[in-house]
Amino acid sequence: MKVKNIKNNFRSDCPISSALDLFGDKWSLLIIRDLVYFGERTFKDFSGAAEKISSARLSDRLCKLEALKLLNKLNHPTNKKVFLYSLTPKGMDLFPVIAEYVKWSNRYLNEHIAEPAKQFAKNLEADREGTLNQFMKQ
Amino acid sequence: MKVKNIKNNFRSDCPISSALDLFGDKWSLLIIRDLVYFGERTFKDFSGAAEKISSARLSDRLCKLEALKLLNKLNHPTNKKVFLYSLTPKGMDLFPVIAEYVKWSNRYLNEHIAEPAKQFAKNLEADREGTLNQFMKQ
DNA sequence: ATATTTGCTTTCAAATCGAAAGTAATATTA
DNA sequence: TAATATTACTTTCGATTTGAAAGCAAATAT
């Protein structure tokens, strides 16, 4: 796949619009989410997530996120055709963004969201620092 | 404009994907951003932002965000053809999400972003609670 | 040796997008 | 008060992005 120069194509010098230019689509943060939660994932693992990303889109997003150095792609230790994706520190630093989405959704989409997420949101509200650190130190 | 039932069309019961389903496009958070910063904006004001949203897209997004009750649309006190958009508490509660994007971009896109945003990020890093409260109490 | 699995790529119709022009109602200017 | 300008949109249309499905090659499992 060709990943054309994603940077140097920003709409403005605003940090918010620039972040959205890089990973402000409907899939990138869900890939990051899976990696925060599971640590490592394969192509097939990502494909299995509830949102049902198509393989074309998944392939495209993994390439872009790797090009942005938000994730690492490593060989599986025993299976040559499988790759293991994981977060770089740069990618892991998106976790606080994700956490704020969780808090907002817990407040305003509460009846719609899954029970474990509600608990996570509750922990975040009670002790943000601690809950984030729990995930972010490795 | 017709705003078709935006809810009941979620990809999953995940709070992150659900939030992205509602306003995970490249423009919605920038509209919220302008309203956090300026309090009130007109259609023309939004059009003037550096990212140069097209009028068709702006019209569409304002409708959707109003339908989601993230913003209010009020008549201008003296000019009948102008409307004043502002944030509801539900919309204002997206500010912490925005703030985390700012922090991330300040870390990883630092040389690209504008100086005032860098200062804001610095304040956030030094005193998150205080900096957020400064904006969020009206 | 054959079948299956994995991580993709290709194809294609449909949805979404940006750019530009158009419109209708109001407000300003001459 | 008649002409001009402004505002908040809507319309149109070609280009880009998307999702769904099928295809594929290499590696693994049977």
Side-chain angles (χ1 to χ4, degrees), chain A residues 51-62:
Chain A
E51 294 84 11
K52 297 278 159 260
I53 188 172
S54 77
S55 57
R57 221 47 46 209
L58 177 57
S59 177
D60 177 81
R61 288 309 184 280
L62 289 172

Side-chain angles (χ1 to χ4, degrees), chain A residues 71-109:
Chain A
L71 29 106
N72 299 126
K73 180 182 186 176
L74 297 170
N75 287 105
H76 185 101
T78 65
N79 191 325
K80 270 193 182 178
K81 74 185 177 220
V82 174
F83 299 97
L84 292 173
Y85 295 91
S86 59
L87 288 171
T88 63
K90 186 178 177 181
M92 184 53 97
D93 274 350
L94 282 171
F95 184 43
V97 173
I98 286 178
E100 294 303 325
Y101 276 115
V102 173
K103 279 165 67 181
W104 188 92
S105 293
N106 187 55
R107 275 184 213 162
Y108 295 105
L109 304 172

Side-chain angles (χ1 to χ4, degrees), chain A residues 7 32 62-72 86-92, chain B residues 104 108:
Chain A
K7 296 188 189 184
I32 308 278
L62 289 172
C63 279
K64 280 184 182 166
L65 295 176
E66 198 197 348
L68 288 171
K69 300 192 194 297
L70 297 176
L71 29 106
N72 299 126
S86 59
L87 288 171
T88 63
K90 186 178 177 181
M92 184 53 97
Chain B
W104 189 91
Y108 295 105

Side-chain angles (χ1 to χ4, degrees), chain B residues 118-136:
Chain B
K118 291 184 192 177
Q119 189 53 54
F120 175 61
K122 221 177 272 180
N123 294 343
L124 277 170
E125 299 278 11
D127 175 21
R128 198 186 109 96
E129 286 296 301
T131 309
L132 289 182
N133 281 148
Q134 213 175 296
F135 281 81
M136 296 193 56

Side-chain angles (χ1 to χ4, degrees), chain A:
Chain A
M1 228 250 332
K2 56 249 148 150
V3 177
K4 56 183 159 185
N5 199 7
I6 231 167
K7 296 188 189 184
N8 257 23
N9 216 17
F10 291 115
R11 285 174 291 174
S12 76
D13 59 6
C14 162
I16 305 152
S17 83
S18 299
L20 293 174
D21 287 338
L22 297 182
F23 40 78
D25 63 276
K26 298 233 191 282
W27 296 111
S28 293
L29 282 185
L30 302 186
I31 291 172
I32 308 278
R33 169 201 67 183
D34 286 1
L35 289 174
V36 169
Y37 195 75
F38 294 105
E40 278 185 341
R41 297 255 94 183
T42 66
F43 193 94
K44 200 196 174 204
D45 290 335
F46 288 120
S47 294
E51 294 84 11
K52 297 278 159 260
I53 188 172
S54 77
S55 57
R57 221 47 46 209
L58 177 57
S59 177
D60 177 81
R61 288 309 184 280
L62 289 172
C63 279
K64 280 184 182 166
L65 295 176
E66 198 197 348
L68 288 171
K69 300 192 194 297
L70 297 176
L71 29 106
N72 299 126
K73 180 182 186 176
L74 297 170
N75 287 105
H76 185 101
T78 65
N79 191 325
K80 270 193 182 178
K81 74 185 177 220
V82 174
F83 299 97
L84 292 173
Y85 295 91
S86 59
L87 288 171
T88 63
K90 186 178 177 181
M92 184 53 97
D93 274 350
L94 282 171
F95 184 43
V97 173
I98 286 178
E100 294 303 325
Y101 276 115
V102 173
K103 279 165 67 181
W104 188 92
S105 293
N106 187 55
R107 275 184 213 162
Y108 295 105
L109 304 172
N110 187 77
E111 73 292 355
H112 163 69
I113 68 173
E115 198 53 50
K118 291 184 191 178
Q119 190 52 55
F120 176 61
K122 219 177 274 182
N123 294 343
L124 277 170
E125 299 277 12
D127 175 21
R128 197 186 109 96
E129 285 297 300
T131 309
L132 288 182
N133 280 147
Q134 213 174 297
F135 281 80
M136 295 193 57
K137 53 177 185 205
Q138 277 298 335

